[in-house]
Amino acid sequence: ECKKLGAAHHLVFTEGLQARLQRETRVENGLQQALRNNEFELHYQPIVDLESREIVGVEALVRWRLSTGELIMPNEFIGEAARVGLTAQLGEWVLEEACSQLREWLDLGYDLTMSVNISPRHLRHVEFEQKVIDLLAQYDLPLGSLILELTEEVFVDSGVASFYSLNALRNLGVKIAIDDFGTGYSSMRYLKTLPIDRIKIDRCFVSEDNVEQLSDPMITQAIIFLCSGLHFDLVAEGIESEAQAKHLYQQGCRKGQGYWFSKPLMKQDINALLAKKEASVAG
Ligand code: C2E
Ligand code: MG
Ligand code: MG
Ligand code: MG
C-alpha cells in the first residue's frame, strides 16, 4: 500500500545501495549521541479548517539535524531508535519540546492544538502516562489542546494497560487521534469502543499524482460518512491540491493537512505564518 511504497521506493531510486548502507550505519551509531547533543528538532505542519482556511493546529514532526546541516527524516531513524532502545527517550524529548512550543504559541495569543505522534512502544512505557500528566501541569495546557496521534496497530497490539493510560489521559482533556486511518487493521467495532476523538484519513485515500481528484473517492467518501456519523473530529492528510481540498470539504470533512496548505515548517516559519493577518493559508 502507499505507505510502504513511499519511503522505500524513494530510497531505492534516489541513491545507490552503497550510500544507503553508509547512511544506515551512521544512523545506528549516531542516535544516542544525537540525543545527548540535542540534535533533534521539531518541524510543525499546519492543520487547517477547510472552510475558513485558518490554521487550527499543528502536527509536530521530528527531524534529526546532522552537524553537516543535513536533515534526516523520521522514517529513517524512528525504527532504528526502537531497535537500540531509545524510543521512550526520544518520545519524551518530542513531547516536552512540543508542549513547550505550544505554550509559547498560546502565550502569543494563538488558539492552536498540538498533535504529537506517539509510537506504540512509548505508549507502553511505564512512565508514559505520568510524563504526559506532568507536562500538562508544567505548561498549564488547556483542555483539548494536546492531541496524541496513534496508529491503528496500537489499538490492536498494545494491551489493556495502554487503554487505561489513554482513558486516564482522555479524562484529563487529552485528545486521542488515529493516524493513517484505513491502512491498518482496525475493525469497525474498535471505532465504537475505543477512546478516540479524532480520525486522520491516510493520504493514500487523499492524494494522487493526478491532483485533480481524490485517489479513492468512494473509500474516502465512505470513511467521511462513517466517521462523521460517529461524531469523530476528522482530518484529511496529504491534501496536495485545491481540487482535493474542495472535494473533501464537500463530502463533509472539515479539517485538512497537506502540502497544498503548507509543508512542515520550522517554528520561526510557523510564527511568520501565524503572524500574517488572518493566519490562513492556500485557497
Ligand atoms: P504521519 O504522522 O502520518 O505524518 C505525516 C507525514 O506526511 C509527514 O512526513 C509529512 O511531512 C508528510 N506529509 C504531509 N503532507 C503531505 C502531503 O501533502 N504529501 C505528502 N506526500 N506527504 C505529506 P514525515 O515528517 O516524514 O513523517 C513520517 C512519519 O514519521 C509520520 O507520519 C509519523 O508516523 C512518524 N513521525 C514523525 N515524527 C514523529 C515523532 O515525533 N514521533 C514518532 N513516534 N513518530 C513520528
Ligand atoms: Mg501523525
Ligand atoms: Mg498520518
Ligand atoms: Mg500518513
Side-chain angles (χ1 to χ4, degrees):
E1 94 280 297
C2 94
K3 191 145 203 188
K4 278 188 194 121
L5 278 177
H9 190 259
H10 192 70
L11 279 178
V12 172
F13 294 110
T14 55
E15 64 182 327
L17 186 59
Q18 175 81 12
R20 184 176 159 199
L21 287 175
Q22 270 170 9
R23 203 201 30 218
E24 278 179 3
T25 311
R26 216 168 26 165
V27 168
E28 229 172 297
N29 296 336
L31 275 169
Q32 182 82 56
Q33 211 183 336
L35 267 167
R36 275 199 304 270
N37 298 347
N38 224 346
E39 292 175 16
F40 293 101
E41 58 188 56
L42 293 184
H43 289 198
Y44 302 92
Q45 188 177 34
I47 295 174
V48 169
D49 180 315
L50 289 178
E51 184 170 21
S52 67
R53 302 303 171 94
E54 277 167 358
I55 298 171
V56 294
V58 295
E59 176 177 3
L61 296 158
V62 70
R63 276 97 179 82
W64 178 9
R65 178 79 67 182
L66 299 181
S67 51
T68 58
E70 189 190 344
L71 212 54
I72 311 232
M73 302 303 273
N75 289 334
E76 297 178 47
F77 63 82
I78 296 273
E80 195 54 42
R83 240 173 302 160
V84 298
L86 289 173
T87 299
Q89 223 182 312
L90 177 60
E92 286 195 3
W93 181 84
V94 168
L95 262 174
E96 165 109 44
E97 179 73 10
C99 289
S100 142
Q101 185 57 54
L102 175 59
R103 179 29 70 201
E104 242 180 85
W105 281 324
L106 293 169
D107 285 343
L108 287 169
Y110 301 117
D111 182 17
L112 296 175
T113 59
M114 174 67 73
S115 298
V116 181
N117 294 284
I118 304 294
S119 70
R121 211 180 279 244
H122 188 201
L123 176 68
R124 287 194 297 268
H125 193 259
V126 283
E127 281 158 22
F128 176 77
E129 181 185 335
Q130 192 56 48
K131 179 70 181 178
V132 176
I133 293 172
D134 292 347
L135 289 170
L136 292 176
Q138 183 184 344
Y139 293 104
D140 193 20
L141 299 181
L143 291 180
S145 63
L146 179 64
I147 302 174
L148 304 180
E149 295 196 359
L150 307 159
T151 50
E152 292 164 274
E153 287 80 346
V154 163
F155 295 99
V156 182
D157 297 341
S158 283
V160 156
S162 299
F163 290 106
Y164 284 124
S165 285
L166 290 179
N167 268 314
L169 291 173
R170 205 153 166 256
N171 289 333
L172 296 173
V174 173
K175 301 287 184 196
I176 309 297
I178 298 195
D179 206 350
D180 306 335
F181 183 78
T183 63
Y185 328 84
S186 63
S187 79
M188 297 300 145
R189 186 169 64 93
Y190 289 120
L191 291 181
K192 283 292 284 184
T193 54
L194 293 174
I196 298 162
D197 302 285
R198 165 177 288 189
I199 302 272
K200 298 188 77 175
I201 307 173
D202 192 72
R203 69 180 154 84
C204 268
F205 307 115
V206 174
S207 33
E208 206 186 16
D209 296 341
N210 178 359
V211 295
E212 289 308 311
Q213 31 183 289
L214 297 176
S215 85
D216 279 303
M218 285 309 289
I219 294 182
T220 316
Q221 200 174 328
I223 295 175
I224 294 172
F225 184 75
L226 174 73
C227 292
S228 47
L230 293 169
H231 304 290
F232 291 122
D233 176 33
L234 258 183
V235 178
E237 301 190 286
I239 298 178
E240 295 184 349
S241 72
E242 179 58 27
Q244 290 162 353
K246 279 222 176 73
H247 279 131
L248 288 157
Y249 179 71
Q250 279 159 6
Q251 292 179 351
C253 181
R254 291 290 171 262
K255 297 193 183 87
Q257 183 179 353
Y259 294 165
W260 175 248
F261 302 114
S262 169
K263 297 206 165 186
L265 300 172
M266 294 196 284
K267 65 182 175 195
Q268 308 87 285
D269 297 324
I270 292 284
N271 278 328
L273 255 191
L274 290 169
K276 281 203 305 192
K277 204 159 162 247
E278 312 230 29
S280 64
V281 286

